[in-house]
Amino acid sequence: MFGMTALDTIGTASQQAQLAQYLELVRQTNERVNLVSRKDISHLAEHHLAPSCLFVVLKRIGSHERILDIGSG
């Protein structure tokens, strides 16, 4: 699943499949609209998705809390 070893521990199997589907949609859209630099597209999971999931992985957010990841681009 896109070399997502760090993300394999997040959520259920269904949620992991949704994350993989999301990454594929980003890849496809990136061919038409420049969302991510070409040199970084092969590192979507590590450079873009994993940082967004960090609070979940570290168990620093409760199930009732929300996080907004705004990014720098």
Side-chain angles (χ1 to χ4, degrees):
M1 190 178 348
F2 303 116
M4 294 174 39
T5 56
L7 298 176
D8 286 341
T9 60
I10 297 174
T12 64
S14 175
Q15 290 167 328
Q16 291 171 7
Q18 289 173 331
L19 289 173
Q21 184 179 18
Y22 170 75
L23 291 177
E24 184 56 33
L25 287 172
V26 170
R27 281 187 176 87
Q28 290 173 5
T29 303
N30 200 62
E31 293 176 9
R32 296 185 316 268
V33 180
N34 188 24
L35 300 172
V36 178
S37 74
R38 284 181 230 163
K39 66 180 182 178
D40 207 29
I41 195 71
S42 62
H43 303 286
L44 278 177
E46 298 88 357
H47 295 174
H48 298 279
L49 195 55
S52 296
C53 298
L54 190 57
F55 281 92
V56 174
V57 172
L58 295 176
K59 299 184 183 350
R60 303 280 182 162
I61 181 170
S63 60
H64 63 284
E65 297 175 301
R66 303 276 189 252
I67 292 177
L68 175 63
D69 180 8
I70 296 177
S72 63

